[in-house]
């Protein structure tokens, strides 16, 4: 699976790009990247259709623990990505004028024969 996380260091400011699907297990890749970034301000840029809720929640928690987080929604923070966006410190969430934040109720499905339920 394509890792949606990239690090950019511009003029001493660390940025993480979360561009792509938050697949099941993505939190491990994200946290590994996060561990490699020196303490200090961190910018997270998001363009994601979302994905696995629990992976997104783990990314949110890792960012909240770190602190000093600014989040920019560049185009879309949908579903689980909208949860990650909420990790921004107070007053440090910026949504581009043309960007979207998409929230929805959780949903699930099951499959099998009637006797299985």
């Amino acid at each position: 699976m394509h890792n949606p996380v990239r690090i950019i260091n511009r003029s001493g400011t660390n940025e993480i790009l979360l561009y792509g699907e938050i697949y099941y297990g993505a939190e491990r890749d994200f946290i590994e990247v996060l561990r490699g970034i020196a303490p200090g301000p961190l910018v997270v840029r998001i363009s994601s259709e979302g994905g696995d809720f629990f992976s997104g929640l783990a990314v949110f928690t890792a960012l909240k623990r770190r602190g000093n987080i600014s989040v920019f929604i560049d185009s879309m923070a949908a579903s689980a990505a909208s949860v990650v966006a909420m990790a921004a410190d107070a007053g440090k969430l910026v949504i581009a004028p043309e960007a979207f934040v998409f929230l929805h109720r959780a949903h699930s499905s099951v499959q099998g024969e009637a006797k299985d339920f």
Side-chain angles (χ1 to χ4, degrees):
M1 178 130 308
H2 168 70
N3 185 347
V5 182
R6 283 194 341 232
I7 301 175
I8 297 176
N9 186 308
R10 293 187 188 135
S11 304
T13 300
N14 288 305
E15 286 188 6
I16 292 181
L17 300 182
L18 180 56
Y19 275 36
E21 179 186 358
I22 301 172
Y23 53 86
Y24 176 78
E27 71 277 14
R28 289 180 286 246
D29 295 333
F30 191 93
I31 291 168
E32 191 63 35
V33 165
L34 201 55
R35 283 186 181 144
I37 299 175
L42 178 64
V43 173
V44 179
R45 303 190 77 88
I46 299 176
S47 177
S48 174
E49 65 274 20
D52 184 75
F53 170 77
F54 293 106
S55 294
L57 186 58
V59 169
F60 165 87
T61 302
L63 289 170
K64 289 304 273 185
R65 267 196 311 263
R66 179 186 170 95
N68 206 355
I69 306 294
S70 298
V71 173
F72 291 85
I73 299 174
D74 292 335
S75 67
M76 172 175 51
S79 195
S82 68
V83 174
V84 174
M86 298 304 111
D89 291 351
K92 293 188 176 184
L93 173 61
V94 178
I95 304 169
E98 60 281 351
F100 289 88
V101 177
F102 175 73
L103 307 168
H104 62 88
R105 292 181 183 176
H107 65 275
S108 182
S109 63
V110 294
Q111 187 174 349
E113 297 179 7
K115 65 180 178 58
D116 295 331
F117 306 105

